[in-house]
Amino acid sequence: MTEFPAIKNNACIALSAIPEMDYATFREQNIVLLGAENNHCVTLFGYPCGDSLRLICAIADDRAGAIHVSSSTIIPDGEFSSLSAMRPALHVFERELHENFGVRYSDHPWLKPVRFPQNAFSGVKIPDYPFYRIDSEELHEVGVGPIHAGVIEPGHFRFICNGEQILHLEIQLGYQHRGIEKLFLEKENLLQRTILAENIAGDTVVGHTLAFVNLWESLCGFAAGRDLQFARTLALELERMAIHTGDLGALCTDIGYQLGNAVFGRLRTPIINFLQQWCGNRFAKGLMRAGITNFHFTAELAGKLNDILNAYESDFLEIADKAFHLPTTLARFEKTGIVTTRQASEIGAVGMAARASGLTRDIRASHPFDLYGELEHEPVVKHHGDVYSRVQVRKEEIIQSLAYIRRLLQTIPEVQPVREMNKPRPNAMAISLTEGWRGEICHCAITGDNGRLIHYKVTDPSLHNWLALALAVRNNEISDFPICNKSFNLSYCGHDL
Amino acid sequence: MFKTLSILFHQGKQYIPHPTEAEVPGIFRGRPLITKADVDESALAALCPVNAIGKAPVSIDLGKCIFCGECALAFPHKIGFTKDYKIATNERRRLIISAGDDRPVKINPELVRNEIFKYFHGSLKLRQVSAGGDNSCELELNASGNVNFDVGRYGIEFVASPRHADGLVVTGPLTQNMAEALEICYQAVPQPRIVILAGTDAISGGIFADSPALDRSFLDKYPVDLFLSGNPVHPLTFLNGVLELIRTRKS
């Protein structure tokens, strides 16, 4: 077996240093690598090189904190054996290759459209999605969406039910497709690209922008000063707290627990209002820029944040203690929407959902970035894989974030002078992993001659995790779908890009 | 029981008493103020990531502006963003703020349809459609109904079915893949119906304006009654904009 070069998170590698192999070896070696318990695929994509397509696969080794990169150049016209047949976690990446470049797979288990881009090779339009069907007089289908009852994003869910029980759920997305990856190449100005990163998913502004700025700095050989790293770490934990709190409120709404909804809902407000006091936007749009920051974190802000956290903590603990010990709440949350550890591992689940199913998968611990090396993060792991586990992970992560923020606030780093950033390195690939509140975010960029961007790949945690939701609801009652869905709270726009 | 009472006691009153006069905390990028100072206008316009800045005289189009504030940081003597969150109007050109213009952004009463005041001034039910929205506008619209902003106190409410709605609130840059669903939803709303565009992405496409993945033909077909600026729209912008629209009578 060839030794794959192992790069660190936020590192840059010359395109010529990525081992190139024929497709059969590429497939086999990556299948073998993914068989190891501590390995998982962070991204698999292709970029055009003339008439051929160069496939790049990045596999993260969570124990060694390294990312193995390998590649294979193929002519997309041919027919290929899929990796998904052996490693189902890769299904969505190969579907993407099929959709975007017409790569045909002879044995892909589920070769369906992903997001219906305008130049899709298959030519299938969004109303003609080929749904899985079961012919039976006993069963019925329920279609939900793309427009849902609440104020949320669009996506279509097709249930096959036996009475009230769900046998199968198929999730069709793509409604939110805005062509972001292409825009990254077309917009040549750094500010425009940063704004694009901020608008990938509005609930994960910090997560995605952080991945982008870290990636860009590594491409340009720029080491961010401690002040920038501090601000990024702090903002990421604040975002985690805010969204987790809002999600707990939304889960209370879905089971009709009004007090929980009102209190968690309003507890989110001071945190996002703090982000506004810091940078002028409740979702931290505008806060992060590659190489610089427009909004320094001051001692005065630290004082305000401390007061906000103190007020938050007692109110949060009080309502969490009440809400998650009520028999009515537990009756709805416990043993609902179970994803087993084995399922989670097979489908390559990431982030909070994976941790609720017993997988210790957290980029903050395994591939630390910014100041996480110093925080020595211990992932919160639960083992039942049900809605309640996902609630508990959120609750405990909020408490953990509180502690991290307080530790960070003890020493506010001095503002460092602005330094010039070089141009991006030519003919190189950079990869950046971030643990957003939902899970692992991967941004990957490839540059050509002159350092011009020739490919940009965004992988939102939702891309890995939508299948987990489909598995979670099997054999549950259809009335439990809303709480299962909310317990994952996956992103539509992060998936559709 | 006692625990619940204790929680209620600790929460106290959370609502904002006068959301039409409330002040937002800290810094906020709302309606911009442009001075008549002399600057290199080309450099200023080139800075904007979404081409929202016009030249001679310098102007900012709030329908395109994504409120990143970079122009104000680079040219602090020329441009400043005020904390005025009332940046909603029913007239697209009113969103263009020119140098020296310090008027508040308001609804033009001449353009308000008679039936809006007649039918909706006390109660307005809205159906929201996200067509490529990044979920920040959606979160802010949800927040408008929480215990702090509580837009429900004015009879403004989001409903599940378009058949129960008086109008649509559209967020996002209007993607091609959502075009058909949006059209069907609009047709399902009984007349008279209104259309509200929430957020810069919906008004102009924002940073996505040039993307071939969009289909904005919906806006060519149907009239828009309210433009709400912001990236995302602040709950107070939404609340005040909608209130002003339904309370304005044609003079």
Side-chain angles (χ1 to χ4, degrees), chain A residues 361-420:
Chain A
R361 199 166 273 175
D362 194 324
I363 300 297
R364 290 177 288 171
S366 57
H367 303 79
F369 50 97
D370 293 312
L371 296 187
Y372 286 104
E374 295 172 19
L375 290 175
E376 290 176 343
H377 171 65
E378 286 273 342
V380 176
V381 179
K382 298 285 161 191
H383 298 277
H384 295 286
D386 55 359
V387 172
Y388 192 51
S389 294
R390 290 184 282 278
V391 165
Q392 282 180 305
V393 169
R394 283 191 172 88
K395 184 188 133 191
E396 289 178 26
E397 287 194 349
I398 289 172
I399 295 169
Q400 205 177 34
S401 294
L402 255 171
Y404 290 159
I405 294 170
R406 284 186 172 141
R407 254 172 75 190
L408 287 170
L409 289 182
Q410 282 168 6
T411 37
I412 301 166
E414 276 183 31
V415 175
Q416 295 184 10
V418 176
R419 285 170 290 146
E420 272 295 301

Side-chain angles (χ1 to χ4, degrees), chain A residues 1-290:
Chain A
M1 189 169 166
T2 340
E3 262 305 300
F4 289 2
I7 56 170
K8 290 278 175 194
N9 186 11
N10 292 314
C12 200
I13 180 173
L15 284 182
S16 55
I18 302 174
E20 175 69 30
M21 46 195 86
D22 62 82
Y23 184 76
T25 323
F26 172 79
R27 175 177 178 272
E28 198 186 302
Q29 297 215 355
N30 280 309
I31 286 175
V32 172
L33 259 183
L34 284 170
E37 200 190 323
N38 45 307
N39 287 351
H40 76 283
C41 178
V42 290
T43 190
L44 164 65
F45 63 91
Y47 69 94
C49 294
D51 288 339
S52 49
L53 184 69
R54 191 178 188 197
L55 303 178
I56 302 257
C57 183
I59 292 174
D61 179 338
D62 291 342
R63 199 171 298 152
I67 305 164
H68 300 289
V69 190
S70 60
S71 77
S72 174
T73 305
I74 60 168
I75 304 288
D77 282 356
E79 195 173 67
F80 299 90
S81 267
S82 70
L83 281 83
S84 315
M86 297 295 290
R87 301 284 175 238
L90 302 179
H91 77 105
V92 72
F93 297 113
E94 291 192 322
R95 284 163 61 190
E96 224 180 355
L97 288 168
H98 174 70
E99 185 172 58
N100 292 340
F101 301 106
V103 181
R104 280 177 292 144
Y105 291 104
S106 54
D107 56 352
H108 192 289
W110 202 250
L111 204 53
K112 299 198 178 193
V114 183
R115 48 178 83 99
F116 305 90
Q118 275 46 62
N119 53 348
F121 268 77
S122 61
V124 181
K125 293 280 173 218
I126 209 156
D128 308 319
Y129 181 88
F131 284 103
Y132 180 74
R133 305 192 66 143
I134 306 177
D135 285 325
S136 160
E137 291 193 352
E138 307 280 312
L139 307 177
H140 67 279
E141 287 189 1
V142 180
V144 182
I147 301 174
H148 299 279
V151 181
I152 59 166
E153 299 173 74
H156 184 89
F157 301 111
R158 183 74 58 96
F159 300 89
I160 299 175
C161 298
N162 183 8
E164 292 293 301
Q165 198 184 35
I166 302 169
L167 288 188
H168 178 80
L169 161 64
E170 187 159 1
I171 301 167
Q172 179 209 354
L173 301 169
Y175 295 95
Q176 298 281 72
H177 180 62
R178 298 156 289 171
I180 284 193
E181 290 175 338
K182 281 226 174 75
L183 288 174
F184 264 105
L185 310 184
E186 284 162 18
K187 309 237 177 235
E188 302 222 339
N189 164 322
L190 176 59
L191 177 60
Q192 288 179 322
R193 287 176 175 155
T194 315
I195 304 287
L196 272 176
E198 284 179 349
N199 287 283
I200 292 172
D203 51 26
T204 318
V205 173
V206 179
H208 274 289
T209 317
L210 204 157
F212 173 76
V213 295
N214 278 348
L215 175 113
W216 198 259
E217 288 172 358
S218 102
L219 261 185
C220 300
F222 180 94
R226 195 179 167 85
D227 55 338
L228 293 183
Q229 296 195 0
F230 169 88
R232 290 170 192 176
T233 315
L234 181 68
L236 192 65
E237 290 308 316
L238 282 169
E239 181 175 80
R240 192 182 319 278
M241 273 182 77
I243 305 283
H244 277 355
T245 311
D247 280 353
L248 291 176
L251 274 157
C252 289
T253 315
D254 282 351
I255 56 166
Y257 182 47
Q258 179 58 27
L259 184 67
N261 164 43
V263 178
F264 284 124
R266 86 110 196 123
L267 278 172
R268 189 183 70 117
T269 309
I271 310 228
I272 59 176
N273 276 352
F274 175 76
L275 286 173
Q276 185 193 298
Q277 293 180 52
W278 182 5
C279 73
N281 186 292
R282 304 218 300 166
F283 295 84
K285 287 183 179 180
L287 178 64
M288 275 178 287
R289 297 288 180 254

Side-chain angles (χ1 to χ4, degrees), chain A residues 273-485:
Chain A
N273 276 352
F274 175 76
L275 286 173
Q276 185 193 298
Q277 293 180 52
W278 182 5
C279 73
N281 186 292
R282 304 218 300 166
F283 295 84
K285 287 183 179 180
L287 178 64
M288 275 178 287
R289 297 288 180 254
I292 50 162
T293 179
N294 293 330
F295 303 96
H296 297 295
F297 194 82
T298 57
E300 191 197 342
L301 281 170
K304 276 186 192 161
L305 182 55
N306 256 324
D307 294 345
I308 289 169
L309 294 181
N310 291 339
Y312 172 95
E313 190 180 26
S314 55
D315 283 347
F316 175 79
L317 293 176
E318 188 180 32
I319 182 70
D321 182 50
K322 172 80 187 167
F324 305 130
H325 287 104
L326 279 174
T328 47
T329 333
L330 295 179
R332 292 295 305 276
F333 288 166
E334 280 185 321
K335 296 183 185 160
T336 304
I338 295 173
V339 180
T340 63
T341 311
R342 192 168 153 216
Q343 282 176 323
S345 151
E346 252 182 32
I347 62 166
V350 296
M352 190 210 79
R355 293 194 286 279
S357 289
L359 291 185
T360 312
R361 199 166 273 175
D362 194 324
I363 300 297
R364 290 177 288 171
S366 57
H367 303 79
F369 50 97
D370 293 312
L371 296 187
Y372 286 104
E374 295 172 19
L375 290 175
E376 290 176 343
H377 171 65
E378 286 273 342
V380 176
V381 179
K382 298 285 161 191
H383 298 277
H384 295 286
D386 55 359
V387 172
Y388 192 51
S389 294
R390 290 184 282 278
V391 165
Q392 282 180 305
V393 169
R394 283 191 172 88
K395 184 188 133 191
E396 289 178 26
E397 287 194 349
I398 289 172
I399 295 169
Q400 205 177 34
S401 294
L402 255 171
Y404 290 159
I405 294 170
R406 284 186 172 141
R407 254 172 75 190
L408 287 170
L409 289 182
Q410 282 168 6
T411 37
I412 301 166
E414 276 183 31
V415 175
Q416 295 184 10
V418 176
R419 285 170 290 146
E420 272 295 301
M421 232 188 346
N422 298 327
K423 291 233 173 304
R425 183 175 152 187
N427 298 313
M429 180 183 108
I431 189 160
S432 170
L433 294 175
T434 298
E435 187 76 21
W437 63 268
R438 208 179 253 126
E440 133 194 338
I441 297 162
C442 173
H443 282 214
C444 194
I446 290 181
T447 57
D449 299 334
N450 310 328
R452 205 170 54 85
L453 210 51
I454 57 171
H455 197 77
Y456 200 83
K457 184 85 203 96
V458 177
T459 313
D460 188 87
S462 311
L463 194 74
H464 300 274
N465 282 1
W466 273 109
L467 188 58
L469 171 63
L471 295 177
V473 298
R474 282 195 181 170
N475 298 321
N476 280 250
E477 289 196 8
I478 194 165
S479 53
D480 277 335
F481 173 71
I483 52 170
C484 291
N485 187 20

